[in-house]
mmCIF file of all heavy atoms in Angstrom:
data_model
loop_
_atom_site.group_PDB
_atom_site.id
_atom_site.type_symbol
_atom_site.label_atom_id
_atom_site.label_comp_id
_atom_site.label_asym_id
_atom_site.label_seq_id
_atom_site.Cartn_x
_atom_site.Cartn_y
_atom_site.Cartn_z
ATOM 1 N N LEU A 149 -23.556 2.055 -0.222
ATOM 2 C CA LEU A 149 -22.886 1.161 0.710
ATOM 3 C C LEU A 149 -22.869 -0.242 0.206
ATOM 4 O O LEU A 149 -22.653 -1.212 0.888
ATOM 5 C CB LEU A 149 -23.655 1.151 2.082
ATOM 6 C CG LEU A 149 -23.539 2.523 2.803
ATOM 7 C CD1 LEU A 149 -24.310 2.428 4.097
ATOM 8 C CD2 LEU A 149 -22.056 2.812 3.140
ATOM 9 N N HIS A 150 -22.947 -0.414 -1.122
ATOM 10 C CA HIS A 150 -22.925 -1.710 -1.710
ATOM 11 C C HIS A 150 -21.537 -2.346 -1.636
ATOM 12 O O HIS A 150 -20.577 -1.728 -1.901
ATOM 13 C CB HIS A 150 -23.322 -1.475 -3.146
ATOM 14 C CG HIS A 150 -22.920 -2.385 -4.242
ATOM 15 N ND1 HIS A 150 -23.853 -3.015 -4.997
ATOM 16 C CD2 HIS A 150 -21.762 -2.769 -4.626
ATOM 17 C CE1 HIS A 150 -23.206 -3.723 -5.919
ATOM 18 N NE2 HIS A 150 -21.919 -3.633 -5.659
ATOM 19 N N LEU A 151 -21.454 -3.624 -1.055
ATOM 20 C CA LEU A 151 -20.148 -4.273 -0.758
ATOM 21 C C LEU A 151 -19.470 -4.745 -1.970
ATOM 22 O O LEU A 151 -20.084 -5.343 -2.901
ATOM 23 C CB LEU A 151 -20.449 -5.438 0.167
ATOM 24 C CG LEU A 151 -20.801 -5.056 1.621
ATOM 25 C CD1 LEU A 151 -21.167 -6.317 2.397
ATOM 26 C CD2 LEU A 151 -19.653 -4.301 2.364
ATOM 27 N N LYS A 152 -18.145 -4.524 -1.986
ATOM 28 C CA LYS A 152 -17.334 -4.987 -3.095
ATOM 29 C C LYS A 152 -15.988 -5.435 -2.494
ATOM 30 O O LYS A 152 -15.489 -4.780 -1.621
ATOM 31 C CB LYS A 152 -17.092 -3.776 -4.109
ATOM 32 C CG LYS A 152 -16.239 -4.176 -5.285
ATOM 33 C CD LYS A 152 -16.000 -2.992 -6.198
ATOM 34 C CE LYS A 152 -15.001 -3.282 -7.281
ATOM 35 N NZ LYS A 152 -14.662 -2.154 -8.150
ATOM 36 N N THR A 153 -15.449 -6.497 -3.098
ATOM 37 C CA THR A 153 -14.094 -6.975 -2.686
ATOM 38 C C THR A 153 -13.051 -6.529 -3.713
ATOM 39 O O THR A 153 -13.361 -6.401 -4.881
ATOM 40 C CB THR A 153 -14.042 -8.470 -2.473
ATOM 41 O OG1 THR A 153 -14.384 -9.115 -3.713
ATOM 42 C CG2 THR A 153 -15.010 -8.954 -1.380
ATOM 43 N N VAL A 154 -11.838 -6.359 -3.178
ATOM 44 C CA VAL A 154 -10.706 -6.068 -4.004
ATOM 45 C C VAL A 154 -9.560 -6.909 -3.545
ATOM 46 O O VAL A 154 -9.533 -7.429 -2.455
ATOM 47 C CB VAL A 154 -10.236 -4.540 -3.899
ATOM 48 C CG1 VAL A 154 -11.310 -3.634 -4.445
ATOM 49 C CG2 VAL A 154 -10.001 -4.184 -2.421
ATOM 50 N N PRO A 155 -8.599 -7.192 -4.460
ATOM 51 C CA PRO A 155 -7.398 -7.991 -4.023
ATOM 52 C C PRO A 155 -6.730 -7.445 -2.849
ATOM 53 O O PRO A 155 -6.592 -6.213 -2.624
ATOM 54 C CB PRO A 155 -6.524 -7.993 -5.252
ATOM 55 C CG PRO A 155 -7.426 -7.694 -6.342
ATOM 56 C CD PRO A 155 -8.467 -6.788 -5.843
ATOM 57 N N PHE A 156 -6.324 -8.336 -1.910
ATOM 58 C CA PHE A 156 -5.574 -7.963 -0.745
ATOM 59 C C PHE A 156 -4.088 -8.343 -1.020
ATOM 60 O O PHE A 156 -3.745 -9.515 -0.824
ATOM 61 C CB PHE A 156 -6.127 -8.759 0.490
ATOM 62 C CG PHE A 156 -5.604 -8.202 1.873
ATOM 63 C CD1 PHE A 156 -6.301 -8.651 2.956
ATOM 64 C CD2 PHE A 156 -4.581 -7.368 1.952
ATOM 65 C CE1 PHE A 156 -5.928 -8.219 4.256
ATOM 66 C CE2 PHE A 156 -4.199 -6.859 3.242
ATOM 67 C CZ PHE A 156 -4.901 -7.351 4.342
ATOM 68 N N ASP A 157 -3.303 -7.416 -1.568
ATOM 69 C CA ASP A 157 -1.951 -7.793 -2.115
ATOM 70 C C ASP A 157 -1.188 -8.639 -1.105
ATOM 71 O O ASP A 157 -1.022 -8.277 0.052
ATOM 72 C CB ASP A 157 -1.233 -6.497 -2.423
ATOM 73 C CG ASP A 157 -1.773 -5.699 -3.548
ATOM 74 O OD1 ASP A 157 -2.650 -6.327 -4.265
ATOM 75 O OD2 ASP A 157 -1.502 -4.527 -3.760
ATOM 76 N N GLY A 158 -0.653 -9.733 -1.609
ATOM 77 C CA GLY A 158 0.183 -10.652 -0.794
ATOM 78 C C GLY A 158 -0.646 -11.581 0.054
ATOM 79 O O GLY A 158 -0.038 -12.393 0.836
ATOM 80 N N PHE A 159 -1.977 -11.588 -0.087
ATOM 81 C CA PHE A 159 -2.780 -12.497 0.783
ATOM 82 C C PHE A 159 -3.848 -13.238 -0.184
ATOM 83 O O PHE A 159 -4.304 -12.593 -1.124
ATOM 84 C CB PHE A 159 -3.581 -11.747 1.800
ATOM 85 C CG PHE A 159 -4.109 -12.609 2.985
ATOM 86 C CD1 PHE A 159 -3.194 -13.076 3.954
ATOM 87 C CD2 PHE A 159 -5.402 -12.888 3.063
ATOM 88 C CE1 PHE A 159 -3.621 -13.869 4.956
ATOM 89 C CE2 PHE A 159 -5.855 -13.695 4.139
ATOM 90 C CZ PHE A 159 -4.942 -14.179 5.054
ATOM 91 N N PRO A 160 -4.055 -14.495 0.054
ATOM 92 C CA PRO A 160 -4.943 -15.227 -0.886
ATOM 93 C C PRO A 160 -6.411 -14.826 -0.912
ATOM 94 O O PRO A 160 -7.093 -15.033 -1.897
ATOM 95 C CB PRO A 160 -4.779 -16.698 -0.502
ATOM 96 C CG PRO A 160 -4.346 -16.683 0.925
ATOM 97 C CD PRO A 160 -3.530 -15.428 1.062
ATOM 98 N N LEU A 161 -6.912 -14.275 0.170
ATOM 99 C CA LEU A 161 -8.295 -13.810 0.219
ATOM 100 C C LEU A 161 -8.349 -12.303 -0.033
ATOM 101 O O LEU A 161 -7.432 -11.539 0.274
ATOM 102 C CB LEU A 161 -8.924 -14.113 1.555
ATOM 103 C CG LEU A 161 -9.244 -15.526 1.932
ATOM 104 C CD1 LEU A 161 -9.784 -15.625 3.364
ATOM 105 C CD2 LEU A 161 -10.149 -16.194 0.915
ATOM 106 N N PRO A 162 -9.478 -11.845 -0.643
ATOM 107 C CA PRO A 162 -9.646 -10.380 -0.909
ATOM 108 C C PRO A 162 -10.062 -9.710 0.367
ATOM 109 O O PRO A 162 -10.307 -10.333 1.401
ATOM 110 C CB PRO A 162 -10.757 -10.356 -1.916
ATOM 111 C CG PRO A 162 -11.556 -11.490 -1.639
ATOM 112 C CD PRO A 162 -10.638 -12.626 -1.122
ATOM 113 N N ARG A 163 -10.191 -8.387 0.364
ATOM 114 C CA ARG A 163 -10.673 -7.594 1.457
ATOM 115 C C ARG A 163 -11.876 -6.767 0.916
ATOM 116 O O ARG A 163 -12.036 -6.558 -0.296
ATOM 117 C CB ARG A 163 -9.565 -6.649 1.992
ATOM 118 C CG ARG A 163 -8.995 -5.707 1.000
ATOM 119 C CD ARG A 163 -7.913 -4.817 1.613
ATOM 120 N NE ARG A 163 -7.373 -3.936 0.608
ATOM 121 C CZ ARG A 163 -7.888 -2.823 0.143
ATOM 122 N NH1 ARG A 163 -9.064 -2.419 0.580
ATOM 123 N NH2 ARG A 163 -7.244 -2.076 -0.758
ATOM 124 N N LEU A 164 -12.653 -6.221 1.818
ATOM 125 C CA LEU A 164 -13.759 -5.347 1.460
ATOM 126 C C LEU A 164 -13.201 -3.929 1.105
ATOM 127 O O LEU A 164 -12.457 -3.364 1.878
ATOM 128 C CB LEU A 164 -14.761 -5.173 2.548
ATOM 129 C CG LEU A 164 -15.492 -6.471 3.026
ATOM 130 C CD1 LEU A 164 -16.339 -6.186 4.231
ATOM 131 C CD2 LEU A 164 -16.295 -7.028 1.847
ATOM 132 N N GLU A 165 -13.539 -3.485 -0.081
ATOM 133 C CA GLU A 165 -13.082 -2.189 -0.535
ATOM 134 C C GLU A 165 -13.465 -1.038 0.369
ATOM 135 O O GLU A 165 -12.721 -0.090 0.578
ATOM 136 C CB GLU A 165 -13.571 -1.879 -1.921
ATOM 137 C CG GLU A 165 -13.020 -0.630 -2.588
ATOM 138 C CD GLU A 165 -13.531 -0.448 -3.960
ATOM 139 O OE1 GLU A 165 -14.784 -0.582 -4.215
ATOM 140 O OE2 GLU A 165 -12.787 -0.113 -4.866
ATOM 141 N N GLN A 166 -14.689 -1.165 0.989
ATOM 142 C CA GLN A 166 -15.194 -0.010 1.807
ATOM 143 C C GLN A 166 -14.584 0.168 3.135
ATOM 144 O O GLN A 166 -14.795 1.123 3.836
ATOM 145 C CB GLN A 166 -16.722 -0.232 1.912
ATOM 146 C CG GLN A 166 -17.471 0.009 0.700
ATOM 147 C CD GLN A 166 -17.726 -1.239 -0.101
ATOM 148 O OE1 GLN A 166 -16.932 -2.219 0.042
ATOM 149 N NE2 GLN A 166 -18.803 -1.279 -0.858
ATOM 150 N N CYS A 167 -13.848 -0.885 3.629
ATOM 151 C CA CYS A 167 -13.287 -0.824 5.015
ATOM 152 C C CYS A 167 -11.853 -0.224 5.044
ATOM 153 O O CYS A 167 -11.046 -0.642 4.188
ATOM 154 C CB CYS A 167 -13.338 -2.153 5.656
ATOM 155 S SG CYS A 167 -15.009 -2.822 6.004
#
Side-chain angles (χ1 to χ4, degrees):
L149 291 179
H150 155 124
L151 287 173
K152 179 183 176 184
T153 60
V154 292
F156 195 166
D157 293 344
F159 199 74
L161 290 179
R163 59 178 177 81
L164 296 176
E165 184 180 47
Q166 289 92 334
C167 290

